Amino acid sequence: MRIESISEVSASPGFIARDILKIVQFWGKAVGNSANRKRLLSSILAYILLTPSAVSSFFIRGWRFALVREVLLTDGRASLPRLNDIWKIGEAVKQGVKLIGAKFMYDVPKFLILFVFAYDLIDAIIDWFYFLFFQWWMEPAAEVQTASGMVDATVTNFSLSFSSAILLYIVYSCFLTPAFKISEIKYAAGQMKYKGFFDPKELKSSFRLYRKYSAQTLEMYVYDNILMVVSIVIGLFFSLIFPPFILLIYPTVKLMLNHMPKYYGYALLAQRMQENGDIVVREQLADQEAISPLAA
Amino acid sequence: MTGNYIVTGSEKESEEGDVNLYLDDNDRFEKITQPAAVHDYPEASIKEPSLWQYFADRIRRVSEPLWHKKSRGDVLGMLAVSWFVSVLTWLANFDAILGRGWRLEVVKKLSLGDDKVVPDFSLSSILGYFANGIILLFARTFYFIPMILFALLSGYKFVKIAWKLAVFIYDKAVVGTDASWSEFFFYKVLPQATAELLVQFLFVTLYTMLVWPVYRILMIQYAVGEIKWTGFFSINQFKRSAGIFRRNASSVYAVYAFMLSLQIALYFILKPIDWVSFGFADRTFLPIVYVIFWYWPIGYAYGVLGRTLIQRGEIRPTGRITPDLNEEYNEEYV
């Protein structure tokens, strides 16, 4: 018999493999279990119906939030959010609007700095594009610049801007974005109010939790990015094969292969925090509106 | 130290998954529990209704009053008048004004719990729908002013880009300059146009998600008689309605999001038909389609929202409420 402490366990290959297995099992339960399948189909229907107005992008963030909350409230059961009337969908949209607002505030510095780097890079990119596409490929005879000359002319600008941008992105990805995810978990648990996203004290406590669960948080963040790329590629592939059904296919693929598994990953992280007593789950969100019998 | 541990490699692992092993301060075994893991199923039974069933049921409920015996005449009357007005005012599009006013009456009737949800068909009531339609058109235009101003400012920048493009083409074709297309596009068009589109997207999103829903609440308040038409243009009233929106955001978004999607989807389905027919469809059979698939469901949905807000005490109607706000009524319509 081997014993591992949840709170102290490192991101060993075995642990990562177990997490991947749990996510795959969860996916299987979502598709295989009839009650879950019904909720999954309801979620897909809502996502598709809201796509024409682009409200779907708010809805899906709220849905992911609800998924984490559902897993926490049901003590780790592999259950999807219950969406069997429009009022629950409205709640998801509302939470999505709030989360996008908070995320936007976190991302403003990143956007500004990346914009400065991108502006600096744009000259070099245009020069290369012009050289490769027009001089080198379309009109080789009219070539006035050699490839080595191009490299010499742009290498400093490129390497400096590009490496700075990458560095910034890594710093953001490794610090602020995962800390935001932890704040999101705390908010989903009902432990933190919405204004906590903008409260330095809460941010500090999220960083503290992040330091404790850094390996697991980054592990989930890596899944997050991998699943996002995979779902985009698969979604585009099927959409290109069946273009008339793009509004049906793309949301379905995105929900099943991206949003659902990746946020179950964050739910697993949330569960670990809950089991270690680092977050306390509350039944009622602090700012949740009372649903009247009419809307229930 | 009491810790929470995952035990792997135990005998039961393969059949029952992980267990939690609790140790006491001396690291001695205290208790073992079975955590609910991915192996567990949700509590929901198969009987839990799905969203498909919910929508099927709501579509039935929403469409039922339209062919109910006691309101059939009113529906046919409205369809006939709508068609007649659209033909009569071929270019002025007066049927849209009538439709808006009629929809407002649906909102009022459903919010106040009128027995008959379909608005009456009589000459005086038709004139009333026109009057309300004009007020709504003004209010709507007023609320669109920031969008219009923004579109004009943004449009001016696009005109400047287009002007640069025209000069570029002229120089290339007439003057004979050997300027490069790619350089022009990447230096003069792409950065400005991209920045402009991003700002537009941000503005439209903020407006759609934060301002327009407040206008919808004002519309409901006007329908049930809580505010007069001047309320649309009052800052204090706007603040009060924004407060209602903030406190009831999920219910407002529930109705608003689906109605917005319905409107956009219908727009993309019906407008091409209109364009292909050179506007003929819009003056012949589309007014009837609009009444059934546009004004009616939207009016019904906002009526349900109005009913919900009245029940929560957020909106205080001045009109008579019949029947009382009871569950029987709620079951029947909502």
Side-chain angles (χ1 to χ4, degrees), chain B residues 291-329:
Chain B
V291 169
I292 304 290
F293 293 101
W294 186 296
Y295 296 121
W296 173 254
I298 292 170
Y300 195 101
Y302 283 107
V304 169
L305 179 63
R307 186 85 178 157
T308 307
L309 294 177
I310 289 171
Q311 200 198 35
R312 287 182 191 170
E314 296 282 8
I315 291 180
R316 288 176 294 278
T318 52
R320 188 173 60 94
I321 307 176
T322 52
D324 291 336
L325 291 167
N326 56 35
E327 282 188 16
E328 198 182 318
Y329 174 86

mmCIF file of all heavy atoms in Angstrom, chain B residues 291-329:
data_model
loop_
_atom_site.group_PDB
_atom_site.id
_atom_site.type_symbol
_atom_site.label_atom_id
_atom_site.label_comp_id
_atom_site.label_asym_id
_atom_site.label_seq_id
_atom_site.Cartn_x
_atom_site.Cartn_y
_atom_site.Cartn_z
ATOM 1 N N VAL B 291 -45.081 39.177 -37.539
ATOM 2 C CA VAL B 291 -46.063 39.198 -36.440
ATOM 3 C C VAL B 291 -45.995 37.885 -35.664
ATOM 4 O O VAL B 291 -45.942 37.877 -34.426
ATOM 5 C CB VAL B 291 -47.497 39.431 -36.985
ATOM 6 C CG1 VAL B 291 -48.535 39.191 -35.892
ATOM 7 C CG2 VAL B 291 -47.631 40.848 -37.519
ATOM 8 N N ILE B 292 -45.960 36.774 -36.399
ATOM 9 C CA ILE B 292 -46.014 35.463 -35.744
ATOM 10 C C ILE B 292 -44.685 35.088 -35.090
ATOM 11 O O ILE B 292 -44.658 34.582 -33.967
ATOM 12 C CB ILE B 292 -46.402 34.357 -36.771
ATOM 13 C CG1 ILE B 292 -47.725 34.701 -37.449
ATOM 14 C CG2 ILE B 292 -46.441 32.973 -36.128
ATOM 15 C CD1 ILE B 292 -48.936 34.615 -36.566
ATOM 16 N N PHE B 293 -43.591 35.311 -35.817
ATOM 17 C CA PHE B 293 -42.301 34.779 -35.334
ATOM 18 C C PHE B 293 -41.398 35.830 -34.687
ATOM 19 O O PHE B 293 -40.350 35.480 -34.152
ATOM 20 C CB PHE B 293 -41.538 34.121 -36.493
ATOM 21 C CG PHE B 293 -42.202 32.881 -36.998
ATOM 22 C CD1 PHE B 293 -42.962 32.903 -38.150
ATOM 23 C CD2 PHE B 293 -42.091 31.690 -36.298
ATOM 24 C CE1 PHE B 293 -43.593 31.763 -38.613
ATOM 25 C CE2 PHE B 293 -42.721 30.542 -36.748
ATOM 26 C CZ PHE B 293 -43.476 30.589 -37.904
ATOM 27 N N TRP B 294 -41.784 37.095 -34.800
ATOM 28 C CA TRP B 294 -40.918 38.140 -34.245
ATOM 29 C C TRP B 294 -41.636 38.860 -33.108
ATOM 30 O O TRP B 294 -41.261 38.732 -31.955
ATOM 31 C CB TRP B 294 -40.515 39.116 -35.374
ATOM 32 C CG TRP B 294 -39.509 40.172 -35.000
ATOM 33 C CD1 TRP B 294 -39.679 41.173 -34.091
ATOM 34 C CD2 TRP B 294 -38.191 40.339 -35.518
ATOM 35 N NE1 TRP B 294 -38.560 41.958 -34.031
ATOM 36 C CE2 TRP B 294 -37.617 41.485 -34.897
ATOM 37 C CE3 TRP B 294 -37.414 39.667 -36.458
ATOM 38 C CZ2 TRP B 294 -36.338 41.949 -35.186
ATOM 39 C CZ3 TRP B 294 -36.147 40.142 -36.744
ATOM 40 C CH2 TRP B 294 -35.611 41.245 -36.118
ATOM 41 N N TYR B 295 -42.693 39.598 -33.441
ATOM 42 C CA TYR B 295 -43.343 40.429 -32.416
ATOM 43 C C TYR B 295 -44.003 39.590 -31.321
ATOM 44 O O TYR B 295 -43.913 39.918 -30.144
ATOM 45 C CB TYR B 295 -44.363 41.375 -33.056
ATOM 46 C CG TYR B 295 -43.728 42.366 -33.993
ATOM 47 C CD1 TYR B 295 -44.097 42.424 -35.340
ATOM 48 C CD2 TYR B 295 -42.736 43.238 -33.545
ATOM 49 C CE1 TYR B 295 -43.495 43.327 -36.200
ATOM 50 C CE2 TYR B 295 -42.139 44.141 -34.404
ATOM 51 C CZ TYR B 295 -42.513 44.177 -35.740
ATOM 52 O OH TYR B 295 -41.913 45.059 -36.581
ATOM 53 N N TRP B 296 -44.679 38.524 -31.748
ATOM 54 C CA TRP B 296 -45.400 37.722 -30.752
ATOM 55 C C TRP B 296 -44.463 37.056 -29.742
ATOM 56 O O TRP B 296 -44.615 37.278 -28.526
ATOM 57 C CB TRP B 296 -46.302 36.699 -31.445
ATOM 58 C CG TRP B 296 -46.932 35.743 -30.481
ATOM 59 C CD1 TRP B 296 -46.606 34.442 -30.296
ATOM 60 C CD2 TRP B 296 -47.969 36.027 -29.531
ATOM 61 N NE1 TRP B 296 -47.358 33.881 -29.311
ATOM 62 C CE2 TRP B 296 -48.200 34.831 -28.818
ATOM 63 C CE3 TRP B 296 -48.695 37.163 -29.216
ATOM 64 C CZ2 TRP B 296 -49.154 34.745 -27.810
ATOM 65 C CZ3 TRP B 296 -49.641 37.068 -28.207
ATOM 66 C CH2 TRP B 296 -49.862 35.875 -27.521
ATOM 67 N N PRO B 297 -43.469 36.240 -30.172
ATOM 68 C CA PRO B 297 -42.632 35.580 -29.156
ATOM 69 C C PRO B 297 -41.844 36.566 -28.297
ATOM 70 O O PRO B 297 -41.667 36.350 -27.092
ATOM 71 C CB PRO B 297 -41.678 34.689 -29.966
ATOM 72 C CG PRO B 297 -41.785 35.125 -31.367
ATOM 73 C CD PRO B 297 -43.091 35.821 -31.531
ATOM 74 N N ILE B 298 -41.395 37.674 -28.917
ATOM 75 C CA ILE B 298 -40.610 38.642 -28.139
ATOM 76 C C ILE B 298 -41.514 39.318 -27.102
ATOM 77 O O ILE B 298 -41.144 39.473 -25.936
ATOM 78 C CB ILE B 298 -39.943 39.669 -29.081
ATOM 79 C CG1 ILE B 298 -38.874 38.960 -29.916
ATOM 80 C CG2 ILE B 298 -39.310 40.819 -28.290
ATOM 81 C CD1 ILE B 298 -38.302 39.776 -31.036
ATOM 82 N N GLY B 299 -42.709 39.696 -27.534
ATOM 83 C CA GLY B 299 -43.661 40.291 -26.604
ATOM 84 C C GLY B 299 -43.997 39.333 -25.481
ATOM 85 O O GLY B 299 -44.050 39.715 -24.305
ATOM 86 N N TYR B 300 -44.199 38.084 -25.823
ATOM 87 C CA TYR B 300 -44.542 37.064 -24.829
ATOM 88 C C TYR B 300 -43.405 36.912 -23.817
ATOM 89 O O TYR B 300 -43.628 36.901 -22.600
ATOM 90 C CB TYR B 300 -44.803 35.728 -25.534
ATOM 91 C CG TYR B 300 -45.501 34.708 -24.678
ATOM 92 C CD1 TYR B 300 -46.867 34.478 -24.825
ATOM 93 C CD2 TYR B 300 -44.818 33.970 -23.719
ATOM 94 C CE1 TYR B 300 -47.525 33.539 -24.041
ATOM 95 C CE2 TYR B 300 -45.466 33.038 -22.930
ATOM 96 C CZ TYR B 300 -46.817 32.824 -23.100
ATOM 97 O OH TYR B 300 -47.469 31.913 -22.329
ATOM 98 N N ALA B 301 -42.169 36.811 -24.344
ATOM 99 C CA ALA B 301 -41.016 36.592 -23.461
ATOM 100 C C ALA B 301 -40.841 37.767 -22.495
ATOM 101 O O ALA B 301 -40.623 37.568 -21.292
ATOM 102 C CB ALA B 301 -39.757 36.403 -24.302
ATOM 103 N N TYR B 302 -40.946 38.995 -23.020
ATOM 104 C CA TYR B 302 -40.788 40.144 -22.130
ATOM 105 C C TYR B 302 -41.988 40.284 -21.180
ATOM 106 O O TYR B 302 -41.848 40.835 -20.084
ATOM 107 C CB TYR B 302 -40.526 41.429 -22.923
ATOM 108 C CG TYR B 302 -39.091 41.481 -23.401
ATOM 109 C CD1 TYR B 302 -38.771 41.283 -24.736
ATOM 110 C CD2 TYR B 302 -38.061 41.667 -22.491
ATOM 111 C CE1 TYR B 302 -37.459 41.279 -25.166
ATOM 112 C CE2 TYR B 302 -36.748 41.661 -22.905
ATOM 113 C CZ TYR B 302 -36.444 41.468 -24.241
ATOM 114 O OH TYR B 302 -35.137 41.446 -24.646
ATOM 115 N N GLY B 303 -43.110 39.779 -21.607
ATOM 116 C CA GLY B 303 -44.267 39.741 -20.712
ATOM 117 C C GLY B 303 -44.003 38.827 -19.527
ATOM 118 O O GLY B 303 -44.321 39.164 -18.374
ATOM 119 N N VAL B 304 -43.412 37.681 -19.807
ATOM 120 C CA VAL B 304 -43.063 36.742 -18.727
ATOM 121 C C VAL B 304 -42.044 37.390 -17.789
ATOM 122 O O VAL B 304 -42.149 37.289 -16.556
ATOM 123 C CB VAL B 304 -42.502 35.420 -19.316
ATOM 124 C CG1 VAL B 304 -41.900 34.559 -18.214
ATOM 125 C CG2 VAL B 304 -43.588 34.658 -20.047
ATOM 126 N N LEU B 305 -41.088 38.082 -18.389
ATOM 127 C CA LEU B 305 -40.087 38.769 -17.558
ATOM 128 C C LEU B 305 -40.758 39.851 -16.704
ATOM 129 O O LEU B 305 -40.462 39.984 -15.504
ATOM 130 C CB LEU B 305 -39.008 39.392 -18.451
ATOM 131 C CG LEU B 305 -37.906 40.164 -17.724
ATOM 132 C CD1 LEU B 305 -37.099 39.241 -16.815
ATOM 133 C CD2 LEU B 305 -36.961 40.845 -18.721
ATOM 134 N N GLY B 306 -41.678 40.587 -17.332
ATOM 135 C CA GLY B 306 -42.405 41.623 -16.598
ATOM 136 C C GLY B 306 -43.155 41.030 -15.426
ATOM 137 O O GLY B 306 -43.136 41.551 -14.312
ATOM 138 N N ARG B 307 -43.785 39.894 -15.678
ATOM 139 C CA ARG B 307 -44.534 39.194 -14.629
ATOM 140 C C ARG B 307 -43.601 38.817 -13.465
ATOM 141 O O ARG B 307 -43.940 38.982 -12.291
ATOM 142 C CB ARG B 307 -45.147 37.931 -15.256
ATOM 143 C CG ARG B 307 -46.050 37.179 -14.357
ATOM 144 C CD ARG B 307 -47.415 37.754 -14.405
ATOM 145 N NE ARG B 307 -48.348 37.014 -13.576
ATOM 146 C CZ ARG B 307 -49.449 37.515 -13.110
ATOM 147 N NH1 ARG B 307 -49.769 38.753 -13.383
ATOM 148 N NH2 ARG B 307 -50.264 36.800 -12.377
ATOM 149 N N THR B 308 -42.423 38.305 -13.831
ATOM 150 C CA THR B 308 -41.444 37.909 -12.814
ATOM 151 C C THR B 308 -41.010 39.117 -11.988
ATOM 152 O O THR B 308 -40.928 39.042 -10.750
ATOM 153 C CB THR B 308 -40.204 37.281 -13.496
ATOM 154 O OG1 THR B 308 -40.651 36.248 -14.353
ATOM 155 C CG2 THR B 308 -39.234 36.706 -12.496
ATOM 156 N N LEU B 309 -40.739 40.228 -12.665
ATOM 157 C CA LEU B 309 -40.257 41.419 -11.959
ATOM 158 C C LEU B 309 -41.360 42.019 -11.087
ATOM 159 O O LEU B 309 -41.093 42.534 -10.002
ATOM 160 C CB LEU B 309 -39.725 42.456 -12.957
ATOM 161 C CG LEU B 309 -38.463 42.029 -13.727
ATOM 162 C CD1 LEU B 309 -38.064 43.094 -14.746
ATOM 163 C CD2 LEU B 309 -37.301 41.755 -12.784
ATOM 164 N N ILE B 310 -42.608 41.932 -11.562
ATOM 165 C CA ILE B 310 -43.723 42.423 -10.738
ATOM 166 C C ILE B 310 -43.841 41.561 -9.489
ATOM 167 O O ILE B 310 -44.000 42.048 -8.377
ATOM 168 C CB ILE B 310 -45.046 42.392 -11.542
ATOM 169 C CG1 ILE B 310 -45.031 43.484 -12.625
ATOM 170 C CG2 ILE B 310 -46.248 42.592 -10.618
ATOM 171 C CD1 ILE B 310 -46.186 43.401 -13.600
ATOM 172 N N GLN B 311 -43.717 40.261 -9.693
ATOM 173 C CA GLN B 311 -43.839 39.352 -8.547
ATOM 174 C C GLN B 311 -42.742 39.586 -7.513
ATOM 175 O O GLN B 311 -42.968 39.426 -6.317
ATOM 176 C CB GLN B 311 -43.801 37.910 -9.049
ATOM 177 C CG GLN B 311 -44.383 36.964 -8.037
ATOM 178 C CD GLN B 311 -43.973 35.551 -8.292
ATOM 179 O OE1 GLN B 311 -42.865 35.289 -8.739
ATOM 180 N NE2 GLN B 311 -44.874 34.640 -8.008
ATOM 181 N N ARG B 312 -41.594 39.985 -7.975
ATOM 182 C CA ARG B 312 -40.489 40.249 -7.034
ATOM 183 C C ARG B 312 -40.592 41.638 -6.419
ATOM 184 O O ARG B 312 -39.734 42.037 -5.638
ATOM 185 C CB ARG B 312 -39.149 40.136 -7.766
ATOM 186 C CG ARG B 312 -38.784 38.721 -8.100
ATOM 187 C CD ARG B 312 -37.442 38.663 -8.781
ATOM 188 N NE ARG B 312 -37.221 37.335 -9.331
ATOM 189 C CZ ARG B 312 -36.237 37.014 -10.132
ATOM 190 N NH1 ARG B 312 -35.354 37.918 -10.485
ATOM 191 N NH2 ARG B 312 -36.112 35.789 -10.582
ATOM 192 N N GLY B 313 -41.568 42.386 -6.837
ATOM 193 C CA GLY B 313 -41.751 43.721 -6.285
ATOM 194 C C GLY B 313 -40.829 44.767 -6.885
ATOM 195 O O GLY B 313 -40.686 45.870 -6.345
ATOM 196 N N GLU B 314 -40.198 44.428 -7.997
ATOM 197 C CA GLU B 314 -39.267 45.374 -8.625
ATOM 198 C C GLU B 314 -40.026 46.390 -9.486
ATOM 199 O O GLU B 314 -39.615 47.535 -9.602
ATOM 200 C CB GLU B 314 -38.256 44.617 -9.505
ATOM 201 C CG GLU B 314 -37.343 43.685 -8.741
ATOM 202 C CD GLU B 314 -36.213 44.406 -8.019
ATOM 203 O OE1 GLU B 314 -36.222 45.645 -7.992
ATOM 204 O OE2 GLU B 314 -35.331 43.724 -7.471
ATOM 205 N N ILE B 315 -41.095 45.927 -10.104
ATOM 206 C CA ILE B 315 -41.901 46.811 -10.945
ATOM 207 C C ILE B 315 -43.277 46.922 -10.294
ATOM 208 O O ILE B 315 -43.854 45.902 -9.890
ATOM 209 C CB ILE B 315 -42.001 46.256 -12.389
ATOM 210 C CG1 ILE B 315 -40.641 46.362 -13.081
ATOM 211 C CG2 ILE B 315 -43.067 46.999 -13.183
ATOM 212 C CD1 ILE B 315 -40.624 45.841 -14.495
ATOM 213 N N ARG B 316 -43.764 48.157 -10.217
ATOM 214 C CA ARG B 316 -45.082 48.365 -9.591
ATOM 215 C C ARG B 316 -46.052 48.899 -10.631
ATOM 216 O O ARG B 316 -46.048 50.096 -10.948
ATOM 217 C CB ARG B 316 -44.961 49.341 -8.430
ATOM 218 C CG ARG B 316 -44.248 48.740 -7.219
ATOM 219 C CD ARG B 316 -44.057 49.747 -6.122
ATOM 220 N NE ARG B 316 -43.150 50.805 -6.530
ATOM 221 C CZ ARG B 316 -41.824 50.696 -6.485
ATOM 222 N NH1 ARG B 316 -41.261 49.577 -6.060
ATOM 223 N NH2 ARG B 316 -41.060 51.684 -6.868
ATOM 224 N N PRO B 317 -46.854 48.032 -11.178
ATOM 225 C CA PRO B 317 -47.764 48.470 -12.241
ATOM 226 C C PRO B 317 -48.914 49.299 -11.698
ATOM 227 O O PRO B 317 -49.315 49.126 -10.537
ATOM 228 C CB PRO B 317 -48.273 47.164 -12.834
ATOM 229 C CG PRO B 317 -48.138 46.185 -11.744
ATOM 230 C CD PRO B 317 -46.994 46.613 -10.891
ATOM 231 N N THR B 318 -49.439 50.154 -12.541
ATOM 232 C CA THR B 318 -50.588 50.950 -12.103
ATOM 233 C C THR B 318 -51.892 50.303 -12.563
ATOM 234 O O THR B 318 -52.951 50.595 -12.062
ATOM 235 C CB THR B 318 -50.526 52.378 -12.674
ATOM 236 O OG1 THR B 318 -50.350 52.273 -14.082
ATOM 237 C CG2 THR B 318 -49.399 53.154 -12.060
ATOM 238 N N GLY B 319 -51.810 49.432 -13.518
ATOM 239 C CA GLY B 319 -53.006 48.794 -14.061
ATOM 240 C C GLY B 319 -53.549 47.712 -13.150
ATOM 241 O O GLY B 319 -52.944 47.354 -12.143
ATOM 242 N N ARG B 320 -54.721 47.203 -13.492
ATOM 243 C CA ARG B 320 -55.354 46.132 -12.710
ATOM 244 C C ARG B 320 -54.622 44.822 -13.001
ATOM 245 O O ARG B 320 -54.277 44.534 -14.149
ATOM 246 C CB ARG B 320 -56.818 46.021 -13.140
ATOM 247 C CG ARG B 320 -57.661 45.097 -12.304
ATOM 248 C CD ARG B 320 -59.099 45.244 -12.763
ATOM 249 N NE ARG B 320 -59.243 44.894 -14.174
ATOM 250 C CZ ARG B 320 -59.583 43.683 -14.603
ATOM 251 N NH1 ARG B 320 -59.816 42.734 -13.729
ATOM 252 N NH2 ARG B 320 -59.718 43.419 -15.880
ATOM 253 N N ILE B 321 -54.379 44.050 -11.953
ATOM 254 C CA ILE B 321 -53.709 42.769 -12.167
ATOM 255 C C ILE B 321 -54.713 41.652 -11.983
ATOM 256 O O ILE B 321 -55.268 41.482 -10.907
ATOM 257 C CB ILE B 321 -52.559 42.552 -11.188
ATOM 258 C CG1 ILE B 321 -51.615 43.746 -11.247
ATOM 259 C CG2 ILE B 321 -51.810 41.287 -11.476
ATOM 260 C CD1 ILE B 321 -50.492 43.661 -10.245
ATOM 261 N N THR B 322 -54.982 40.938 -13.028
ATOM 262 C CA THR B 322 -55.900 39.817 -12.932
ATOM 263 C C THR B 322 -55.327 38.614 -13.681
ATOM 264 O O THR B 322 -54.746 38.798 -14.749
ATOM 265 C CB THR B 322 -57.245 40.150 -13.597
ATOM 266 O OG1 THR B 322 -56.983 40.623 -14.895
ATOM 267 C CG2 THR B 322 -58.040 41.137 -12.796
ATOM 268 N N PRO B 323 -55.491 37.447 -13.231
ATOM 269 C CA PRO B 323 -55.943 37.145 -11.881
ATOM 270 C C PRO B 323 -54.818 37.483 -10.899
ATOM 271 O O PRO B 323 -53.794 37.992 -11.295
ATOM 272 C CB PRO B 323 -56.188 35.652 -11.934
ATOM 273 C CG PRO B 323 -55.253 35.162 -12.982
ATOM 274 C CD PRO B 323 -55.114 36.253 -13.979
ATOM 275 N N ASP B 324 -55.032 37.156 -9.622
ATOM 276 C CA ASP B 324 -54.001 37.447 -8.641
ATOM 277 C C ASP B 324 -52.732 36.683 -8.990
ATOM 278 O O ASP B 324 -52.759 35.679 -9.684
ATOM 279 C CB ASP B 324 -54.480 37.021 -7.242
ATOM 280 C CG ASP B 324 -55.608 37.926 -6.785
ATOM 281 O OD1 ASP B 324 -55.666 39.065 -7.307
ATOM 282 O OD2 ASP B 324 -56.421 37.489 -5.964
ATOM 283 N N LEU B 325 -51.659 37.182 -8.441
ATOM 284 C CA LEU B 325 -50.380 36.525 -8.719
ATOM 285 C C LEU B 325 -50.349 35.187 -7.987
ATOM 286 O O LEU B 325 -49.869 35.085 -6.871
ATOM 287 C CB LEU B 325 -49.238 37.411 -8.246
ATOM 288 C CG LEU B 325 -49.023 38.695 -9.041
ATOM 289 C CD1 LEU B 325 -48.086 39.610 -8.297
ATOM 290 C CD2 LEU B 325 -48.484 38.379 -10.409
ATOM 291 N N ASN B 326 -50.934 34.228 -8.597
ATOM 292 C CA ASN B 326 -50.932 32.930 -7.939
ATOM 293 C C ASN B 326 -50.228 31.894 -8.818
ATOM 294 O O ASN B 326 -49.934 32.131 -9.987
ATOM 295 C CB ASN B 326 -52.352 32.470 -7.619
ATOM 296 C CG ASN B 326 -53.196 32.439 -8.879
ATOM 297 O OD1 ASN B 326 -52.698 32.117 -9.941
ATOM 298 N ND2 ASN B 326 -54.454 32.787 -8.755
ATOM 299 N N GLU B 327 -49.966 30.768 -8.193
ATOM 300 C CA GLU B 327 -49.171 29.768 -8.892
ATOM 301 C C GLU B 327 -49.922 29.144 -10.058
ATOM 302 O O GLU B 327 -49.332 28.684 -11.018
ATOM 303 C CB GLU B 327 -48.725 28.693 -7.914
ATOM 304 C CG GLU B 327 -47.564 29.189 -7.078
ATOM 305 C CD GLU B 327 -46.956 28.110 -6.235
ATOM 306 O OE1 GLU B 327 -47.214 26.933 -6.508
ATOM 307 O OE2 GLU B 327 -46.240 28.454 -5.287
ATOM 308 N N GLU B 328 -51.245 29.154 -9.925
ATOM 309 C CA GLU B 328 -52.042 28.555 -10.998
ATOM 310 C C GLU B 328 -51.801 29.321 -12.299
ATOM 311 O O GLU B 328 -51.569 28.759 -13.358
ATOM 312 C CB GLU B 328 -53.515 28.635 -10.620
ATOM 313 C CG GLU B 328 -54.396 27.680 -11.411
ATOM 314 C CD GLU B 328 -55.848 27.860 -10.995
ATOM 315 O OE1 GLU B 328 -56.103 27.992 -9.784
ATOM 316 O OE2 GLU B 328 -56.679 27.903 -11.887
ATOM 317 N N TYR B 329 -51.825 30.650 -12.130
ATOM 318 C CA TYR B 329 -51.576 31.489 -13.299
ATOM 319 C C TYR B 329 -50.158 31.241 -13.832
ATOM 320 O O TYR B 329 -49.934 31.084 -15.023
ATOM 321 C CB TYR B 329 -51.728 32.966 -12.926
ATOM 322 C CG TYR B 329 -51.352 33.869 -14.062
ATOM 323 C CD1 TYR B 329 -52.295 34.212 -15.029
ATOM 324 C CD2 TYR B 329 -50.051 34.338 -14.201
ATOM 325 C CE1 TYR B 329 -51.931 35.009 -16.094
ATOM 326 C CE2 TYR B 329 -49.694 35.124 -15.268
ATOM 327 C CZ TYR B 329 -50.628 35.461 -16.208
ATOM 328 O OH TYR B 329 -50.267 36.232 -17.267
#
